[in-house]
Amino acid sequence: MKNKRQLLKIRIYGDKTLNKVAEPVKEITPEIQEFIQNLTHTMYIKNGIGLAAPQVGISLRIYVVDPFWYKEGKKKNPYIFINPEFLEFEGESTAEEGCLSLPDIFEKVSRAEKVVITAMNENGKKITLEAEGIFARVLQHEFDHLGGILFVEKISKLRQVFIKKKLRELAKSTDENGENIQRIED
């Protein structure tokens, strides 16, 4: 019998888990597979196109992406990445990014236009994927979460000054352990 999917709580800027380097997944257990289902479910419910384990307080090298589902008649086709590594980067493009852990903050970020990535999927099978455009962008954005890096750290120092007040307000929504204080969520 399958368990009902669980909506996981998104960690907000200021939460300590977001700044930690995530641990590699040593073994793909039924618990890890269930967590991946919940992570994917949460990404869709929160209208995201990617979600990394640290964003829900789990410091593991796992993320899910589905960069096109909101455009294509809501047809869901999630990609799961466990212990991902980039093999190639090509070109550069700049585009606006947002993040479920940084609500209401959008800034332009430069990233590689094209990437080749390798990882394991939810069944432990090694996958290698070439991606470009928004797909490459979301892969890089989520990979940064595994290294404790948020997209606002990749913008110019001047832009960081402009959003400092918003970031301070978000950080106030965490307690002394760096965990979210109950925040108004949809």
Side-chain angles (χ1 to χ4, degrees), residues 77-127:
N77 184 28
Y79 292 82
I80 287 73
F81 296 86
I82 301 170
N83 299 334
E85 294 298 329
F86 284 104
L87 302 176
E88 292 177 34
F89 295 97
E90 189 180 309
E92 186 179 315
S93 71
T94 302
E96 192 172 78
E97 292 187 20
C99 181
L100 294 173
S101 294
L102 291 149
D104 304 321
I105 294 178
F106 301 92
E107 291 291 330
K108 290 187 181 206
V109 179
S110 292
R111 297 201 184 265
E113 176 64 27
K114 198 174 194 180
V115 298
V116 177
I117 189 170
T118 187
M120 286 187 299
N121 68 13
E122 68 275 21
N123 299 313
K125 182 179 179 224
K126 185 177 177 180
I127 58 168

Side-chain angles (χ1 to χ4, degrees), residues 7-15 18 38-52 54-56 64-65 69 97-106 138 141-142 145 150-151 170 173 180 183-186:
L7 182 64
L8 305 172
K9 188 173 181 187
I10 304 284
R11 301 297 180 102
I12 303 300
Y13 179 87
D15 186 289
L18 295 172
N38 292 332
L39 188 66
T40 304
H41 175 70
T42 301
M43 174 184 71
Y44 289 128
I45 294 295
K46 295 297 183 180
N47 291 316
I49 59 173
L51 189 60
Q55 290 182 270
V56 295
V64 298
V65 302
W69 76 276
E97 292 187 20
C99 181
L100 294 173
S101 294
L102 291 149
D104 304 321
I105 294 178
F106 301 92
V138 72
H141 176 109
E142 298 308 328
H145 279 296
L150 299 171
F151 83 92
L170 286 175
S173 71
N180 293 117
R183 191 172 180 276
I184 300 169
E185 300 228 6
D186 34 291

Side-chain angles (χ1 to χ4, degrees), residues 164-181:
K164 198 174 209 155
K165 183 179 178 201
K166 283 184 186 177
L167 293 176
R168 268 199 306 269
E169 288 169 8
L170 286 175
K172 285 180 189 172
S173 71
T174 60
D175 65 17
E176 68 279 356
N177 299 315
E179 294 183 11
N180 293 117
I181 296 168

